[in-house]
Amino acid sequence: MIEHLYLFMLATLALALSPGPDNIYVLTQSLTNGAKSGIATTAGLISGCIVHTSLLAFGVSALITASETLFYTIKILGALYLLYLAYKVFKSTPDVSYSSDAPKKSYGELFKIGVIMNLLNPKVMIFFLAFFPAFLWDPSENTVLQFYILGITFMVVSFLTFSTIALLAGSISRFLTKGRVVGVVLKWLQILVFVGIALYIVIP
């Protein structure tokens, strides 16, 4: 269990640090309206993950109970999806950009926006389905509990990482936009994480 959680935390941290729409939005709000705005946005984004975790826990757990073959099929499809994400990152430009013209909003509004952004993004649920099953340490035991442990771990690591981005917004923005080398490094970090998790899923 400890080994699985350790690997899961490292993979989550790498993903949270990789430039994407969520952390770029947090960065934008922090630069425009201050660190508290970024943290409020982060809280909303992370809160939405509770719903995805619940759907994943009860839905996939039922499939595991019904058929091990079906569960393995899900893992294969998840691995293929992660390889697809790696390919999309490979084809993308390594440049990191953000807009600092976001309008001022209250903390409550930013929290609601974060929740809605998370819940209405079908890619989040698909990603959870691809990402989480690989880190179950004992599919024959209580998988609902295991999914919730992974979900809570994911939320804590992501919240701490995004909040750090919010608190260090100025330095982070200068670092991310400093030059092409940084973008290339972050790009290949994403690719390695996606490919690594895909291999971890399919290799017994």
Side-chain angles (χ1 to χ4, degrees):
M1 172 181 174
I2 299 300
E3 179 183 352
H4 282 74
L5 283 178
Y6 178 70
L7 292 173
F8 182 79
M9 290 174 66
L10 288 178
T12 300
L13 177 62
L15 290 169
L17 288 173
S18 302
D22 288 348
N23 53 17
I24 293 298
Y25 187 70
V26 170
L27 176 62
T28 299
Q29 289 298 330
S30 301
L31 288 172
T32 307
N33 302 313
K36 290 182 179 179
S37 294
I39 293 174
T41 303
T42 296
L45 290 167
I46 301 306
S47 295
C49 292
I50 297 173
V51 176
H52 292 296
T53 300
S54 297
L55 293 173
L56 179 67
F58 290 101
V60 175
S61 293
L63 294 176
I64 294 172
T65 303
S67 171
E68 290 187 10
T69 301
L70 185 57
F71 176 58
Y72 187 71
T73 300
I74 291 175
K75 293 178 71 172
I76 293 296
L77 293 175
L80 291 175
Y81 178 68
L82 291 170
L83 290 176
Y84 167 71
L85 292 180
Y87 174 74
K88 286 189 65 177
V89 174
F90 175 74
K91 296 292 289 184
S92 67
T93 173
D95 298 327
V96 179
S97 62
Y98 67 92
S99 172
S100 60
D101 58 358
K104 176 70 174 179
K105 295 180 176 66
S106 70
Y107 300 144
E109 288 177 315
L110 290 170
F111 177 84
K112 287 189 289 186
I113 289 173
V115 172
I116 293 171
M117 281 177 61
N118 186 278
L119 293 181
L120 296 186
N121 185 356
K123 293 182 179 180
V124 176
M125 185 70 253
I126 296 173
F127 179 75
F128 270 43
L129 185 61
F131 185 50
F132 279 43
F135 295 91
L136 293 176
W137 51 90
D138 191 352
S140 64
E141 295 297 330
N142 188 340
T143 52
V144 172
L145 176 61
Q146 293 178 60
F147 275 127
Y148 271 108
I149 291 174
L150 292 175
I152 291 171
T153 302
F154 180 89
M155 287 185 277
V156 170
V157 172
S158 298
F159 180 80
L160 292 175
T161 304
F162 283 20
S163 294
T164 300
I165 290 175
L167 292 171
L168 302 177
S171 299
I172 292 291
S173 65
R174 287 193 293 271
F175 172 75
L176 290 178
T177 58
K178 190 174 182 179
R180 188 176 178 85
V181 174
V182 173
V184 171
V185 170
L186 293 173
K187 173 180 177 176
W188 281 99
L189 173 63
Q190 272 190 295
I191 292 173
L192 289 173
V193 169
F194 285 139
V195 172
I197 295 172
L199 293 175
Y200 182 76
I201 289 175
V202 296
I203 297 176

